[in-house]
């Protein structure tokens, strides 16, 4: 039952996020406390995302950066951008950006405050109190690599997953295997 509810929730959020329209809107220097997210691969490596929600001409803007681990498995190298592309930003239960490839790619860091990020502006009007609301970065769990050769268990191969769970690109970021 819980799995069905989670699947339905993710499907609805994906549909809502797919309907979000954004336009490029310049750059922005990230605040001292940007919203962070990301995750790790089931093989070494991970992704970090940091962003601010800003008022751009009376509309809701999203500005930020993303990074991938410098040291990672050959099975995940070059696939981080595809994972970031599946991400969305949700503010007050409403998707404001879908497909996070507009974010500027930067080197992994323990903190992304002060980084210059790319921005998009959404169709959503800026509302009183938005400057105090914290956005949520949603990047779904997904298969990043599948080797179907061999007989490695019930799935018939080796699988590498992306697992959401907070920033994961910098060596100092907490990892599930620590």
């Amino acid at each position: 039952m819980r799995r069905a509810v989670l699947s339905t929730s993710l499907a609805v959020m994906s549909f809502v996020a797919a309907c979000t329209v954004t336009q490029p809107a310049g750059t922005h220097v990230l605040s001292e406390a940007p919203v962070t997210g990301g995750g790790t691969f089931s093989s070494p490596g991970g992704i970090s995302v940091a962003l601010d929600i800003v008022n751009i001409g009376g509309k809701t803007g999203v500005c930020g950066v993303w990074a991938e681990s410098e040291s990672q498995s050959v099975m995940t190298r070059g696939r981080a951008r595809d994972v970031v592309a599946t991400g969305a930003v949700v503010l007050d239960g409403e998707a404001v950006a879908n497909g996070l490839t507009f974010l500027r790619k930067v080197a992994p860091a323990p903190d992304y405050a002060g980084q210059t990020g790319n921005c998009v502006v959404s169709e959503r009007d800026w509302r009183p109190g938005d400057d105090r609301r914290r956005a949520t970065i949603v990047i779904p769990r997904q298969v990043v690599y599948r080797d179907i050769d061999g007989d490695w268990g019930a799935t018939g191969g080796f699988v590498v997953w992306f697992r959401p769970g907070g920033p994961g690109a910098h060596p100092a970021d907490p990892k599930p295997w620590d």
Side-chain angles (χ1 to χ4, degrees), residues 98-171:
N98 182 41
L100 304 182
T101 55
F102 70 89
L103 299 172
R104 183 172 157 252
K105 185 177 180 187
V106 297
D111 183 6
Y112 296 93
Q115 295 267 0
T116 300
N118 291 339
C119 301
V120 294
V121 63
S122 72
E123 294 177 325
R124 181 187 180 275
D125 291 330
W126 184 260
R127 299 177 189 150
D130 278 351
D131 57 336
R132 294 182 303 280
R133 290 185 178 94
R134 290 289 279 181
T136 303
I137 299 166
V138 179
I139 304 175
R141 179 181 170 97
Q142 57 197 279
V143 173
V144 177
Y145 175 85
R146 181 182 305 258
D147 179 2
I148 59 172
D149 293 336
D151 186 19
W152 295 27
T155 60
F158 181 72
V159 178
V160 176
W161 289 88
F162 171 78
R163 305 167 299 193
H170 191 268

Side-chain angles (χ1 to χ4, degrees), residues 5 15 17-19 34 37 43 56 62 74 92 95 131 148 150 155 163-164:
V5 171
F15 173 75
C19 296
S43 65
I56 301 177
V62 178
V74 69
D92 203 24
D131 57 336
I148 59 172
T155 60
R163 305 167 299 193

